[in-house]
Amino acid sequence: MTSHRITLLAGDGIGPEITAVARELLDAVSVRHGFELRYDEQPIGGAAIDATGEPLPPSTLEACREADAVLLAAIGSPQYDSLPRDKRPESGLLGLRAGLGLFANLRPVKIIPALAGASSLKPEVIEGVDLLVVRELTGGVYFGTPKGRVEADGHVRAFNTMAYSDFEIDRIARVGFDLALQRGGRLCSVDKANVLDVSQLWRDRVEAIATDYPDVALSHMYVDNAAMQLVRAPKQFDVILTSNLFGDILSDEAAMLTGSIGMLPSASLGSSGPGLFEPIHGSAPDIAGQDLANPMAMVLSAAMLLRIGLKQNAAATDLEAAVERTLEAGFRTGDLMAEGCTQLGCRAMGEQLLAALEG
Ligand code: IPM
Ligand code: MG
C-alpha cells in the first residue's frame, strides 16, 4: 500500500481544533482510496515557544524536510507580541517558508455557489469568481535587508527593504504563467512600478518571461487599482501574480469575496521538497478553544495537500465535494451563518463533513 508521511503542525489558537477535524477526514478518505497516511505532529509558533523557547525548533524544521507534505493550521497569539521579533510565532512561520524554500504561494479564490449570499458584495458581482493569487513568499520586504530600528538625533527610525533579484522574480513569474496555461490563460501582474524601483524590475522581468508564454494574455496593474478592482469587478481576474507584501494584502481582500476568510486554503511550494499547505486565516485567538472555528479552510488545505503534494487527486476531489455538500445542506459555522441555515460548532461541522464524505 502506498504510504505518505505528513508533518502536522497544529500551532496556536484554533489550530488544534481544526487540525483534529482535518485529520479525521484525511484518515477517512485515505482508507477509502487505499493509501496510508503517517503523521508526525510537531510544535510551531506559540506552542513551540512554550515548549522550547523557539517558534521554529530545529526538530520541527527537520521533520518538515523529511515529510512528503506539511499541513499547518495557524500560528500566533497576542500574548507573544511583546517578545523580540525573531522569537515571535510569525518568525517561526517565516523561518519555515524560508527553510523549505517555499517561494510560491498559491491562494485560490473560488465562489462556492451555496455561499454566493454570504459575501458582503452583491451576488451578481461575485457569482462565478474563480481566481488564483500567486504570491511570492520568500523575498521582498518580508525578508529584505537592511532592516531595523535606530536612534539618532533624538528620534527613533525604523526601516525595512523591499528588494527582489531578477532570478526571484523569474521563478515566481514562471509559476504564474504555467498556472495561467492550466487555467483561463490570463495573467495579471500586480506591482507599484509607477513609484517603486523594485516594482519596475518586477515588471521588466515579467515582460521578459512572457516571451516564453505566447499563449498567456499578460496584463499589468498597480496594486492600489488591483485592490479596487477586486471588489469592483473580481470576475476579470484569472491568475494574479504579485510580490510578498502585496500578495499578503490582496489575498485577504480576495478571501472576503467568498464571505469568510474561514473558507480559503493555500499551498506553498518550492522547486523541490515537500510543500506546505495551510488555511490563509490566522489563529483567531478570540474564539480559540470554544468550538466555534470554521474547519473548512483547513479541510480544503488538506485537499490541496492531497492533490498537489501527494498526487491523490480522487481523494482531494472527495474532500472538496464533502465541503460543498455540507454547505448545500445548509450547515454553517458562525462566520458564515445565514437565515434558514443550521449553525454548528467546529466539531459538529467535522461530523457533518465526515457524513457528507461517506454519504
Ligand atoms: C499569511 C499571514 C502571514 C504573512 C503572517 C502570519 C506572518 O498573514 O500567511 O498571509 O504575513 O505571510
Ligand atoms: Mg496574511
Side-chain angles (χ1 to χ4, degrees):
M1 178 162 36
T2 312
S3 178
H4 305 284
R5 290 161 306 171
I6 297 179
T7 295
L8 209 52
L9 309 173
D12 306 322
I14 59 170
E17 302 164 56
I18 61 175
T19 301
V21 169
R23 189 172 166 160
E24 271 187 51
L25 283 151
L26 278 169
D27 284 339
V29 90
S30 63
V31 169
R32 155 156 349 157
H33 290 276
F35 58 90
E36 182 192 36
L37 296 176
R38 283 186 288 132
Y39 304 96
D40 182 4
E41 287 183 51
Q42 295 287 335
I44 191 170
I49 296 171
D50 293 346
T52 71
E54 297 287 330
L56 179 64
S59 48
T60 294
L61 180 57
E62 202 41 49
C64 291
R65 286 205 172 107
E66 280 164 15
D68 296 315
V70 181
L71 184 61
L72 166 71
I75 53 98
S77 169
Q79 77 191 91
Y80 306 104
D81 284 354
S82 55
L83 292 174
R85 184 164 304 283
D86 63 329
K87 299 284 179 209
R88 292 189 205 167
E90 289 75 8
S91 297
L93 178 56
L94 297 184
L96 182 63
R97 290 171 178 171
L100 296 177
L102 306 172
F103 65 87
N105 183 215
L106 278 38
R107 300 188 159 184
V109 178
K110 194 173 175 175
I111 304 300
I112 297 179
L115 290 183
S119 175
S120 51
L121 299 183
K122 296 192 191 92
E124 63 267 29
V125 174
I126 55 126
E127 258 157 18
V129 164
D130 181 359
L131 62 86
L132 173 67
V133 178
V134 176
R135 168 190 178 193
E136 200 290 327
L137 204 60
T138 52
V141 71
Y142 273 55
F143 291 92
T145 51
K147 63 174 181 176
R149 194 171 156 132
V150 291
E151 276 175 48
D153 307 327
H155 291 285
V156 190
R157 186 177 167 76
F159 52 95
N160 290 87
T161 302
M162 189 186 276
Y164 273 111
S165 298
D166 50 5
F167 72 92
E168 293 175 289
I169 303 168
D170 292 3
R171 67 184 179 186
I172 190 70
R174 286 191 188 284
V175 170
F177 279 106
D178 285 335
L179 288 163
L181 277 180
Q182 293 166 30
R183 294 173 43 100
R186 288 176 298 122
L187 182 82
C188 179
S189 173
V190 171
D191 62 37
K192 190 69 186 174
N194 51 344
V195 175
L196 302 175
D197 290 334
V198 61
S199 279
Q200 188 60 56
L201 178 63
W202 180 279
R203 195 173 277 222
D204 295 347
R205 291 313 309 166
V206 171
E207 289 280 354
I209 300 297
T211 58
D212 289 344
Y213 295 89
D215 295 334
V216 175
L218 170 67
S219 59
H220 300 279
M221 200 179 272
Y222 298 135
V223 63
D224 48 350
N225 186 27
M228 180 179 76
Q229 296 298 335
L230 264 177
V231 287
R232 192 189 74 86
K235 270 178 256 191
Q236 70 186 284
F237 295 108
D238 179 17
V239 177
I240 294 176
L241 170 69
T242 194
S243 58
N244 205 342
L245 178 64
F246 297 162
D248 179 48
I249 298 166
L250 292 180
S251 61
D252 266 33
E253 189 191 4
M256 280 317 290
L257 302 173
T258 67
S260 171
I261 198 166
M263 290 306 300
L264 282 224
S266 82
S268 304
L269 310 171
S271 39
S272 63
L276 169 68
F277 301 84
E278 55 170 317
I280 84 158
H281 63 67
S283 54
D286 52 322
I287 59 165
Q290 299 170 46
D291 195 31
L292 292 174
N294 179 354
M296 290 189 170
M298 183 68 170
V299 171
L300 293 171
S301 299
M304 281 188 104
L305 176 150
L306 290 169
R307 177 171 290 113
I308 300 174
L310 306 180
K311 312 281 178 253
Q312 295 285 358
N313 291 346
T317 303
D318 276 5
L319 280 194
E320 288 158 355
V323 168
E324 291 203 21
R325 272 204 295 275
T326 305
L327 290 168
E328 272 156 26
F331 295 110
R332 301 283 189 276
T333 39
D335 54 323
L336 290 169
M337 190 51 192
E339 221 180 284
C341 292
T342 311
Q343 186 165 343
L344 299 178
C346 183
R347 259 199 311 272
M349 185 56 100
E351 283 157 23
Q352 289 301 333
L353 288 166
L354 212 50
L357 186 69
E358 278 154 8

